[in-house]
């Protein structure tokens, strides 16, 4: 976990040193949420394209997968009712959890449920020879959830990657001192690995530079961000 207060202080210190003005807590929190999401989404592409090696500490794919594992959740889906645009409803629709981000698997009583494409989904349900059974169930993603065949199932086990909680700095300034209020109900640190702190600072500075119309800040932050990413290739 990365301290949002440390990141906020770093951003303000760099801006003040360069006489580039001040970023308000509200602006900072907006930039912080966007920066966290960018880094979080980058985990998945890095995991796909990174090359494995024999070192435990320099194996980029392994390191990224460990970062993703922090967000892995397991839950149970119950049947809901989805009304499609034509007005017809279906009882084989299961809505994803509210913090859902990416699906890992669906399982029922030890049987993995296979994902199939839209056209194939229609085809397998129209033929008695290919119709899904309880031993060979299938699903298709649909409108924030999944439709599972055959119908009449419930309590589906789901493995998924959740969204990171939004970071939110809460505090103020007293006698020129920045004071943080971690006890506030809406205070949240970044949920990313501590190693992401330099990249968070760089990305937030880039957003801040655009707002303050300071292209040199944007360029310097972008260059630092690129340098950080290159060390992770």
């Amino acid at each position: 976990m990365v301290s949002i207060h440390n990141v906020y202080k770093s951003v303000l210190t760099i801006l003040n040193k360069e006489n580039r003005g001040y970023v308000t807590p509200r602006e900072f929190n907006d930039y912080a949420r966007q920066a966290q999401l960018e880094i979080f989404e980058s985990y998945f592409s890095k995991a796909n394209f990174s090359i494995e090696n024999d070192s435990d500490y320099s194996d980029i794919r392994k390191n990224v997968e460990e970062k993703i594992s922090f967000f892995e959740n397991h839950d149970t889906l119950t049947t809901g009712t989805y009304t499609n645009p034509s007005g017809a409803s279906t009882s084989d629709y299961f809505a994803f959890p509210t913090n859902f981000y990416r699906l890992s698997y669906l399982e029922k009583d030890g049987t993995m449920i296979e994902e199939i494409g839209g056209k194939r989904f229609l085809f397998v349900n129209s033929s008695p020879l290919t119709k899904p059974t309880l031993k060979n169930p299938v699903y298709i993603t649909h409108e924030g959830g999944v439709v599972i065949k055959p119908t009449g199932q419930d309590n589906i086990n789901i493995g998924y990657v959740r969204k990171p909680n939004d970071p939110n700095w809460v505090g103020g300034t007293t006698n020129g001192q920045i004071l943080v209020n971690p006890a506030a109900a809406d205070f949240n640190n970044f949920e990313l690995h501590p190693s992401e702190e330099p990249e968070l600072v760089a990305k937030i500075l880039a957003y801040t530079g655009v707002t303050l119309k300071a292209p040199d800040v944007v360029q310097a932050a972008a260059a630092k961000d690129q340098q950080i990413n290159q060390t992770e290739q």
Side-chain angles (χ1 to χ4, degrees):
M1 186 172 291
V2 178
S3 166
I4 193 171
H5 185 53
N6 288 346
V7 173
Y8 189 37
K9 287 193 301 181
S10 295
V11 169
L12 292 183
T13 298
I14 294 170
L15 291 176
N16 290 336
K17 183 178 180 181
E18 300 296 330
N19 295 318
R20 291 302 182 184
Y22 176 76
V23 57
T24 67
R26 181 176 179 179
E27 291 172 332
F28 172 81
N29 286 329
D30 287 341
Y31 303 150
R33 284 189 285 272
Q34 183 60 35
Q36 177 172 259
L37 283 174
E38 280 192 32
I39 295 173
F40 179 65
E41 176 59 30
S42 74
Y43 289 164
F44 301 94
S45 58
K46 288 177 181 177
N48 287 333
F49 295 106
S50 298
I51 300 174
E52 294 183 4
N53 59 51
D54 295 330
S55 171
D56 288 338
Y57 299 106
S58 61
D59 188 328
I60 295 175
R61 178 178 295 178
K62 179 182 177 181
N63 292 340
V64 172
E65 288 176 348
E66 287 180 352
K67 292 177 181 180
I68 294 175
S69 68
F70 178 78
F71 300 94
E72 290 179 345
N73 272 7
H74 305 277
D75 208 338
T76 301
L77 302 180
T78 55
T79 306
T81 299
Y82 169 78
T83 303
N84 61 35
S86 66
S89 63
T90 175
S91 61
D92 51 3
Y93 170 79
F94 297 79
F96 289 138
T98 55
N99 62 349
F100 174 87
Y101 190 74
R102 291 200 178 195
L103 181 62
S104 299
Y105 69 85
L106 291 174
E107 178 268 337
K108 170 70 174 178
D109 296 332
T111 298
M112 299 301 294
I113 305 175
E114 179 188 2
E115 180 181 16
I116 59 177
K119 290 183 179 179
R120 187 181 169 206
F121 189 77
L122 294 174
F123 171 76
V124 298
N125 278 288
S126 63
S127 171
L129 295 177
T130 59
K131 204 170 187 65
T133 65
L134 292 176
K135 291 185 177 181
N136 295 288
V138 299
Y139 77 90
I140 183 173
T141 55
H142 183 63
E143 295 291 330
V146 291
V147 173
I148 299 176
K149 299 291 184 180
T151 60
Q153 302 189 66
D154 209 349
N155 297 320
I156 302 297
N157 296 318
I158 179 176
Y160 67 99
V161 177
R162 68 171 177 84
K163 297 176 183 177
N165 294 322
D166 287 340
N168 196 60
W169 187 88
V170 181
T173 304
T174 302
N175 298 325
Q177 297 295 315
I178 300 173
L179 301 177
V180 64
N181 182 16
D186 54 346
F187 176 90
N188 279 321
N189 284 309
F190 293 97
E191 282 204 289
L192 302 179
H193 190 273
S195 64
E196 309 294 4
E197 184 170 333
E199 187 169 1
L200 284 166
V201 173
K203 286 185 178 296
I204 293 170
L205 279 172
Y207 295 134
T208 304
V210 172
T211 301
L212 298 177
K213 298 181 180 179
D216 54 335
V217 174
V218 177
Q219 293 169 3
K224 183 61 177 178
D225 189 26
Q226 183 177 11
Q227 179 185 2
I228 293 170
N229 282 318
Q230 285 177 344
T231 62
E232 298 178 349
Q233 299 296 324

